[in-house]
Amino acid sequence: MENNNQNTELELMRSQMEDFKAQLDKQKIVNEKMIIGSMKKSMSWIKRFVYFECCLVPIIAVSWFAIKEFAHLSWLNYAFLMTVVIVSVIADYRINVSAISDADYSRNNLLTTIKKLTRMKRLRSIDMMIEVPTLVLWLLWSGIEAWVYMPADAPDFARAAVYGGIVGGVIGAVCGLIFAFRIFLKMQRTNDEVISQINELNA
């Protein structure tokens, strides 16, 4: 009789332990899904920003064409700008969007995802180091062309507009650089946060 009671207690304890283990496993799965969802959400704003850049390309093309015609800038200057813009957008897409897929957020791929996120940060830094000097040189080139190619008989309002454009270009360039660096640093921090979340999940 006593042995039967002991066996019953052991079976009850085993059942309770199995239930407890099942609850822990279920909680672990829920936590993993929450962390993976958080990682996807953290990276989603970067993708939206790149898509926004893509939408800006035709606006830049039309706007700078109008400025080119008014300021008598060369076609080479226009072609150079559009080439830089298109190459930049393609590079941003390849670095920030196509490099990471939904499959990379699965539990079995997270170590590979850390390598991809680290590589993304490195490529983003290289991209920034190339783009910033290139655009600064292009702005200087545009200012010099606008000054040199201004017709000698240009009316005062046209001269004032060109001078104002040069000054505005300098101010806009400084503001643009500040904005670009802020976006760049925010993207790098986002990658660091996701890498930290992956390490937490693996731990």
Side-chain angles (χ1 to χ4, degrees), residues 71-156:
H72 305 284
L73 301 178
S74 66
W75 276 106
L76 182 60
N77 178 281
Y78 180 80
F80 181 83
L81 171 65
M82 294 313 304
T83 300
V84 170
V85 168
I86 292 171
V87 170
S88 174
V89 170
I90 292 173
D92 284 348
Y93 182 85
R94 291 177 64 86
I95 292 170
N96 298 298
V97 178
S98 64
I100 296 287
S101 65
D102 287 343
D104 291 314
Y105 294 105
S106 67
R107 185 68 175 84
N108 297 327
N109 293 336
L110 293 181
L111 291 178
T112 302
T113 304
I114 289 180
K115 294 179 182 179
K116 288 186 176 183
L117 291 170
T118 304
R119 182 173 181 268
M120 184 187 295
K121 287 182 62 181
R122 186 175 68 254
L123 292 176
R124 199 181 284 140
S125 298
I126 294 171
D127 184 52
M128 177 66 75
M129 287 188 291
I130 294 173
E131 283 184 11
V132 170
T134 301
L135 289 174
V136 168
L137 288 174
W138 169 79
L139 283 169
L140 290 173
W141 174 11
S142 300
I144 292 171
E145 275 200 0
W147 185 277
V148 171
Y149 293 154
M150 187 189 306
D153 58 348
D156 291 340

Side-chain angles (χ1 to χ4, degrees), residues 45 49 52-53 56 128 172-186:
W45 80 267
F49 181 80
F52 173 71
E53 283 185 320
L56 286 179
M128 177 66 75
V174 172
C175 294
L177 285 174
I178 293 173
F179 176 76
F181 275 113
R182 286 173 65 89
I183 292 294
F184 167 76
L185 293 174
K186 186 177 179 181

Side-chain angles (χ1 to χ4, degrees), residues 60-76:
I60 293 172
V62 173
S63 300
W64 195 253
F65 177 78
I67 293 173
K68 181 195 89 66
E69 290 295 302
F70 181 81
H72 305 284
L73 301 178
S74 66
W75 276 106
L76 182 60

